[in-house]
């Protein structure tokens, strides 16, 4: 396994904000490269398979994306990743840890939502990310793209009907 964690992330905080946040004034500092990498590892790597994920990461880092991989990035992968990053960063946007403990991020016009509302918001964000992921995989697996993604095709993850959804199988 290559150490692709050292490479730049597949999306930037600015792309995450522009693709998945309704407030364009969201502070990019809330979306760290580590959170983006976490989202890649948790949601994208398993969908693409390790070898194809490493291929995309390497090509993206080196600026050598093939035409097919560039299309995948531009039309599917970046948007999908951005929604998964939003899912992973929601708690940090609402609250963050400091030397004073867990504190809520509030401005003069905001209020903290209750846990059930936050959970519904997170579930909806995850649902949207999953829709984009399915669309991306449907595109890659379509016969029109036959031969465009040979690394993916030869190392495709198992596609059982069993899946993990927030820790529930």
């Amino acid at each position: 396994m290559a150490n692709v964690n050292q490479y730049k992330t597949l999306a930037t905080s600015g792309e995450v904000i522009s693709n998945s946040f309704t407030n364009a004034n969201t502070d990019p500092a809330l979306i760290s490269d580590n959170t983006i990498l976490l989202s890649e590892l948790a949601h994208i790597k398993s969908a693409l398979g390790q070898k194809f994920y490493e291929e995309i990461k390497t090509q993206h880092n080196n600026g050598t994306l093939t035409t097919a991989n560039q299309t995948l990035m531009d039309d599917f992968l970046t948007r999908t990743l951005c929604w998964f990053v939003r899912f992973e960063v929601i708690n940090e946007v609402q609250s963050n840890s400091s030397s004073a403990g867990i504190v809520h991020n509030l401005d003069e016009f905001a209020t903290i939502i209750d846990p059930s509302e936050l959970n519904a918001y997170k579930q909806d964000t995850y649902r949207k990310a999953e829709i984009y992921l399915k669309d991306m995989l449907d595109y890659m697996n379509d016969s029109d793209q036959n031969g465009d993604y040979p690394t993916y095709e030869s190392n495709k993850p198992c596609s059982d009907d069993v899946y993990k959804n927030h820790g529930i199988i």
Side-chain angles (χ1 to χ4, degrees), residues 70-151:
Q70 185 69 59
T71 299
L72 183 68
M73 285 289 298
D74 293 345
D75 297 343
F76 299 94
L77 185 55
T78 300
R79 179 177 44 242
T80 301
L81 176 59
C82 288
W83 278 90
F84 279 120
V85 171
R86 175 178 153 158
F87 170 76
E88 294 293 347
V89 82
I90 287 172
N91 290 339
E92 203 59 31
V93 168
Q94 181 179 12
S95 307
N96 61 27
S97 56
S98 72
S99 59
I102 305 298
V103 295
H104 296 296
N105 297 322
L106 283 178
D107 67 21
E108 60 185 295
F109 303 108
T111 59
I112 296 293
I113 61 175
D114 67 57
S116 65
E117 289 174 313
L118 179 60
N119 186 49
Y121 184 76
K122 285 188 74 167
Q123 292 296 325
D124 187 55
T125 297
Y126 189 81
R127 180 187 65 81
K128 290 172 183 173
E130 284 284 312
I131 289 168
Y132 285 129
L133 179 63
K134 182 182 181 318
D135 185 50
M136 179 181 75
L137 294 175
D138 287 348
Y139 169 79
M140 292 173 64
N141 290 315
D142 190 81
S143 60
D144 288 348
Q145 278 60 251
N146 193 14
D148 286 352
Y149 305 105
T151 306

Side-chain angles (χ1 to χ4, degrees), residues 6 48 52 75 122:
Q6 65 185 328
L48 296 180
F52 188 53
D75 297 343
K122 285 188 74 167

